[in-house]
């Protein structure tokens, strides 16, 4: 007798009818039906179990999971008016180039009105465009140009703090009884100095700034010009939701939430344990009410638009990250953690085994629920080829392509940083005068005040300073790399003579065209988006090997992270392996890889 089980699956319309035929043996009537009912229930429950791993993810397809995000740092992309600073008209003039990359989302770093103490991450007017970058009309033209090319736009939402020049803060600091006072975190001086709070950018590392105007301290986790907004104040939250709706109504496609893990505060500002700075995400981040605010934001704003959301920072535990992005939380779509990007920042602390361990840990933790972003660089980090590859003349090309292969074959949404598609490298300034970044400059001042080792500091900045990742885009080999006709706000890397888009565009074997091929391959193979990830040969110190599998389709990825030949033992029969993409002509098919060799195989 056939039995039907009805299982409601998500998304609706893909209901599963499990049909089972059960044959009833000769037992007495009553016990027959009881045991039959129990049996049916067991069968049905097992067939209705929520699908796991790639099936779960495959059942929950979303455009932002299948997207490839290209991060444009507007200050350094293309200058259209010769003032040496990139701008919106400059980006508009390069939209066909961006389209040629095959990516489908652009993330723009902040373009709002700002005094630029932290390059736009100190906003003084959230509904206006920074003068150097252009006008609101330029923004509307940019958005239109992107959408005409089927490219979505996500904006940077910097609301953990504002600029100290924002009208809100001007009013807030003007008097203790000003209606805007509670828009920020103030501590009246008569209560004594508040408990210490570390600041990422403050010259004294002190997040409490004394303000004589009202004899009180205000909180700033970043620079003193970036006072933290008081998210505990519902009026502040309403202001921010209205700002998000302003941009949502303009038709943008998403928000990247800057430093948002720190937005909710424990306003008792009690004394923290001695070494709290070593785990700042734990003590500053993920305060319980953060989730209340995100669910409120989702209710008030996000669900009214077809937008994607990504949080910068995912707390200090996997559970923290899940709480931000799991589908049933109704908070955000994804978050990016710092566990991997921080590997190797301390000299000699880099190891491929640690790199593999971290990425595999996060992948398996998010195999069934939630979703991850995959990145190796952004505006807060040095260039990926200089950090995780090898930017010597001999290996820059191969290792750039190898790292691109990694980003485009991992599960999660790839975030790819402007210029990495050319293999742009660190600039490694010798002189502090060449730096423009508040983080590097203030840390240098702080170290000087403390009598620290300035030479060692300068050496370290050549490896990790943010300005290494912010040098102007290298369009061609002319004096300022085709970025500007004026004096660039930050020096152009002299290696633009050989590393530039114009040269690489016409060279089929260039890093640029390899990037285009890798993007195309990911777009044509959903297994690279949703497929199960399996780490292979995990203790191999030189090669990162993994497979991606979905509905019987299997892809193998081999990446040699060394400048020497290496062997990998995947235990997979390579005789049926078809090469889909490789960064060497006639890719290896025997597990013996050349320096920085990368190969993607389809396994039959
Ligand atoms: O960065 C937040 C953050 O966590 C920083 O500590 C960041 O990781 C650090 O700068 C790394 O060196 C965000 C933005 O991405 C960054 O550009 C801003 O400077 C910062 O917030 C303040 O808005």
């Amino acid at each position: 007798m056939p039995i039907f089980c009805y299982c409601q699956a998500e998304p609706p319309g893909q209901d599963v009818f499990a049909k089972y035929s059960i044959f009833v043996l000769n037992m007495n009537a009553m016990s027959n039906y009881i045991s039959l009912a129990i049996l049916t229930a067991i069968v049905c429950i097992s067939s209705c179990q929520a699908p796991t791993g790639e099936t779960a993810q495959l059942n929950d397809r979303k455009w932002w999971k299948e997207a490839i995000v290209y991060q444009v740092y507007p200050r350094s992309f293309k200058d259209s008016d010769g003032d040496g600073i990139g701008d919106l008209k400059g980006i508009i003039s390069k939209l066909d180039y961006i389209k040629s990359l095959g990516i489908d989302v652009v993330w723009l770093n902040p373009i709002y009105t700002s005094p630029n103490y932290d390059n736009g991450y100190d906003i003084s007017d959230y509904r206006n465009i920074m003068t150097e970058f252009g006008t609101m009309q330029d923004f509307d033209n940019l958005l239109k140009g992107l959408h005409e090319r089927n490219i979505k736009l996500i904006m940077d939402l910097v609301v953990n703090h504002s600029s100290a020049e924002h009208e809100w803060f001007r009013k807030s600091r003007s008097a203790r009884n000003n209606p805007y006072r509670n828009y920020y975190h103030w501590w009246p001086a008569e209560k004594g100095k508040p408990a210490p709070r570390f600041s990422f950018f403050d010259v004294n590392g002190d997040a409490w700034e004394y303000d004589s105007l009202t004899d009180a301290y205000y909180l700033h986790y970043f620079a003193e010009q970036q006072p933290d907004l008081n998210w505990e104040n519902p009026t502040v939250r309403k202001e921010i939701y209205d700002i998000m709706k302003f941009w949502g109504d303009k038709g943008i496609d998403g928000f990247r939430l800057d430093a948002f893990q720190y937005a909710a505060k424990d306003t008792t500002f009690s004394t923290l344990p001695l070494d709290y700075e070593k785990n700042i995400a734990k003590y500053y981040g993920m305060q319980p009410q953060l989730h209340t605010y995100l669910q409120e934001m989702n209710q008030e704003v996000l669900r009214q638009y077809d937008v994607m959301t990504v949080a910068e920072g995912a707390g200090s535990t996997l559970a923290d990250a899940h709480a931000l992005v799991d589908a049933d939380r109704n908070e955000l779509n994804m978050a990016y953690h710092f566990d991997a990007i921080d590997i190797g920042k301390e000299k000699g602390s880099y190891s491929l085994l640690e790199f593999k361990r971290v990425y595999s840990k996060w992948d398996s933790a998010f195999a069934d629920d939630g979703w991850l972003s995959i990145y190796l660089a952004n505006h807060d980090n040095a260039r990926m080829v200089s950090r995780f590859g090898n930017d010597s003349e001999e290996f820059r090309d191969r290792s750039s392509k190898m790292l691109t292969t990694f980003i485009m074959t991992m599960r999660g949404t790839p975030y790819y940083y402007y210029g990495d598609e050319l293999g742009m490298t660190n600039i490694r300034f010798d002189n502090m005068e060449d730096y423009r970044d508040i983080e590097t400059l203030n840390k240098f001042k702080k170290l000087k005040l403390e009598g620290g080792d300035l030479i060692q500091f300068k050496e370290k900045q050549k490896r990790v300073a943010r300005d290494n990742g912010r040098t102007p885009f290298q369009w061609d080999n002319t004096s300022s790399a085709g970025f500007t006709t004026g004096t660039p706000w930050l020096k152009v890397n002299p290696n633009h003579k050989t590393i530039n888009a114009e040269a690489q565009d016409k060279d089929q074997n260039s890093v640029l065209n390899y990037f285009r091929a890798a993007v195309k391959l990911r777009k044509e193979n959903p297994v690279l988006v949703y497929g199960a990830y399996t780490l292979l040969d995990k203790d191999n110190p030189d090669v990162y090997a993994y497979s991606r599998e979905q509905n019987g389709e299997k892809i193998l990825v081999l990446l040699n992270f060394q400048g020497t030949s290496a062997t990998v033992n995947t235990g997979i029969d390579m005789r049926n392996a078809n090469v889909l993409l490789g960064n060497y002509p006639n890719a290896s098919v025997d597990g013996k890889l050349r320096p920085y060799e990368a190969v993607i195989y389809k396994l039959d």
Side-chain angles (χ1 to χ4, degrees):
M1 167 171 62
I3 294 180
F4 283 86
C5 305
Y6 173 77
C7 316
Q8 167 73 33
E10 178 68 27
Q14 292 188 0
D15 303 353
V16 179
F17 281 86
K19 185 173 63 158
Y20 292 88
S21 306
I22 303 250
F23 297 94
V24 180
L25 307 172
N26 60 0
M27 300 153 68
N28 66 36
M30 190 45 185
S31 61
N32 280 357
Y33 287 111
I34 293 166
S35 49
L36 193 58
I38 295 166
L39 205 58
T40 315
I42 294 165
V43 169
C44 281
I45 290 164
S46 60
S47 65
C48 287
Q49 284 307 319
T52 60
E54 79 278 7
T55 322
Q57 298 290 2
L58 201 52
N59 286 345
D60 184 24
R61 298 187 66 168
K62 293 282 191 306
W63 67 262
W64 42 266
K65 290 184 179 181
E66 298 164 17
I68 296 173
V69 180
Y70 182 67
Q71 180 189 353
V72 170
Y73 195 68
R75 205 173 180 79
S76 300
F77 199 66
K78 178 65 180 164
D79 171 24
S80 68
D81 57 9
D83 66 353
I85 297 173
D87 51 46
L88 302 185
K89 282 199 173 76
I91 302 172
I92 292 170
S93 71
K94 293 297 182 180
L95 284 179
D96 291 339
Y97 168 81
I98 295 175
K99 180 63 182 171
S100 78
L101 300 176
I103 57 92
D104 35 28
V105 175
V106 162
W107 157 26
L108 263 188
N109 291 94
I111 57 172
Y112 318 91
T113 308
S114 167
N116 277 308
Y117 286 95
D118 185 16
N119 288 6
Y121 280 94
D122 47 324
I123 298 169
S124 51
D125 181 349
Y126 287 96
R127 289 183 177 79
N128 224 323
I129 302 295
M130 189 192 296
T131 320
E132 297 97 319
F133 287 172
T135 65
M136 190 58 82
Q137 185 54 57
D138 294 334
F139 172 82
D140 296 342
N141 296 343
L142 172 61
L143 185 58
K144 184 166 172 293
L146 285 166
H147 285 170
E148 283 165 354
R149 291 167 178 80
N150 290 328
I151 298 175
K152 294 179 185 288
L153 174 67
I154 63 173
M155 297 278 276
D156 219 311
L157 183 70
V158 187
V159 288
N160 168 71
H161 48 270
S162 75
S163 162
E165 297 179 25
H166 192 291
E167 178 220 359
W168 296 340
F169 189 71
R170 289 178 188 284
K171 290 177 176 166
S172 181
R173 69 179 291 266
S174 65
R176 290 194 183 193
N177 60 1
N178 181 287
Y180 286 83
R181 186 70 169 184
N182 202 21
Y183 271 46
Y184 297 87
H185 296 283
W186 290 95
W187 183 277
E190 62 273 18
K191 285 172 63 177
K193 184 94 184 357
R197 287 291 182 275
F198 159 78
S199 162
F200 293 100
F201 296 166
D202 186 73
V203 174
N204 306 309
D206 184 354
W208 289 110
E209 183 70 17
Y210 177 71
D211 187 353
S212 58
L213 197 57
T214 56
D215 188 27
Y217 299 87
Y218 69 84
L219 183 73
H220 59 91
Y221 279 170
F222 295 92
E224 67 183 71
Q225 297 89 353
Q226 295 166 298
D228 281 50
L229 284 161
N230 177 7
W231 271 76
E232 280 57 54
N233 177 348
T235 315
V236 168
R237 298 199 301 273
K238 171 129 186 17
E239 293 263 21
I240 291 163
Y241 301 153
D242 291 346
I243 289 164
M244 294 173 78
K245 290 174 190 166
F246 170 83
W247 293 102
D249 294 343
K250 274 188 165 292
I252 69 160
D253 308 286
F255 295 99
R256 176 254 186 198
L257 279 73
D258 180 67
F260 201 76
Q261 61 179 337
Y262 307 131
K265 311 290 198 280
D266 167 359
T267 54
T268 65
F269 296 115
S270 54
T271 303
L272 295 173
L274 266 183
D275 59 357
Y276 74 91
E277 293 166 35
K278 295 200 178 58
N279 190 349
I280 217 74
K282 178 176 175 197
Y283 292 99
Y284 278 11
M286 311 304 283
Q287 298 296 316
Q289 67 275 32
L290 185 77
H291 297 294
T292 314
Y293 303 152
L294 283 171
Q295 284 155 15
E296 181 185 66
M297 180 194 285
N298 194 301
Q299 184 73 28
E300 296 292 321
V301 183
L302 301 177
R303 63 184 56 197
Q304 295 163 34
Y305 304 92
D306 179 14
V307 288
M308 75 179 257
T309 49
V310 55
E312 181 215 14
S316 57
T317 65
L318 294 171
D320 280 345
H322 273 296
L324 276 176
V325 301
D326 284 5
D328 62 359
R329 299 280 306 176
N330 297 317
E331 298 186 20
L332 303 174
N333 300 140
M334 62 189 105
Y336 60 87
H337 60 82
F338 300 145
D339 279 12
I341 199 76
D342 286 345
I343 295 172
K345 275 194 176 164
E346 294 315 315
K347 196 159 181 50
S349 67
Y350 172 79
S351 96
L352 179 63
L353 292 175
E354 176 62 6
F355 187 91
K356 295 196 282 189
R357 190 192 64 75
V358 169
Y359 275 104
S360 302
K361 174 187 87 175
W362 281 87
D363 182 89
S364 54
F366 284 79
D368 298 339
D369 203 345
W371 189 253
L372 289 174
S373 57
I374 300 288
Y375 71 105
L376 285 177
N378 58 28
H379 63 292
D380 284 338
N381 289 281
R383 285 283 170 192
M384 77 173 187
V385 70
S386 302
R387 292 222 32 230
F388 300 108
N390 179 326
D391 61 12
S392 66
E393 201 36 50
E394 183 185 6
F395 289 128
R396 182 188 60 75
D397 179 297
R398 301 264 189 230
S399 62
S400 295
K401 293 172 179 176
M402 183 275 287
L403 295 171
T404 293
T405 311
F406 168 74
I407 295 173
M408 292 305 160
T409 56
M410 284 293 280
R411 176 163 47 189
T413 299
Y415 285 69
Y416 203 88
Y417 191 47
Y418 87 97
D420 284 343
E421 75 270 24
L422 304 179
M424 282 175 61
T425 72
N426 281 9
I427 192 165
R428 297 187 174 85
F429 287 134
D430 293 319
N431 307 315
M432 287 308 296
E433 292 65 43
D434 289 326
Y435 283 105
R436 296 286 174 275
D437 176 24
I438 190 171
E439 183 177 36
T440 294
L441 295 172
N442 280 7
K443 277 186 177 168
F444 184 73
K445 287 181 194 150
K446 182 170 184 289
L447 199 61
K448 215 171 183 175
L449 287 172
E450 295 162 350
D453 182 339
L454 301 179
I455 291 157
Q456 187 209 38
F457 175 84
K458 282 199 264 186
E459 279 313 301
K460 181 175 179 184
Q461 292 307 301
K462 288 181 179 177
R463 275 189 315 106
V464 300
R466 305 193 300 178
D467 277 345
N468 282 302
R470 297 175 176 187
T471 54
F473 192 96
Q474 298 167 206
W475 292 105
D476 57 37
N477 63 4
T478 57
S479 62
S480 292
F483 164 70
T484 181
T485 54
T487 305
W489 74 276
L490 187 66
K491 281 185 175 170
V492 169
N493 193 318
N495 65 17
H496 72 278
K497 294 289 181 210
T498 50
I499 304 173
N500 63 67
E502 186 181 57
Q504 293 193 26
D505 195 40
K506 17 191 199 290
D507 167 3
Q508 269 322 301
N509 295 320
S510 66
V511 178
L512 174 58
N513 284 315
Y514 186 90
F515 172 76
R516 288 169 172 152
V519 166
K520 187 166 178 296
L521 188 75
R522 186 178 178 91
K523 287 285 161 200
E524 292 163 354
N525 293 275
V527 61
L528 292 176
V529 177
Y530 295 107
Y533 159 96
T534 306
L535 177 63
L536 304 166
D537 198 4
K538 75 177 183 56
D539 299 324
N540 189 318
D542 307 321
V543 176
Y544 195 163
Y546 50 94
S547 65
R548 304 293 312 275
E549 204 163 345
Q550 178 182 281
N551 298 343
E553 218 188 319
K554 193 164 184 177
I555 299 264
L556 171 66
V557 181
L558 300 181
L559 307 169
N560 182 0
F561 271 70
Q562 305 301 347
T564 51
S565 295
T567 303
V568 62
N569 173 13
T570 62
I572 290 176
D573 178 352
M574 299 293 287
R575 280 170 299 172
N576 316 335
N578 308 311
V579 174
L580 294 174
L581 184 66
N583 63 348
Y584 275 81
N586 53 39
S588 149
V589 287
D590 60 2
K592 294 189 177 47
L593 300 173
R594 286 156 287 188
Y596 297 107
E597 181 160 6
V599 194
I600 306 173
Y601 308 87
K602 191 168 192 70
L603 300 174
D604 294 341

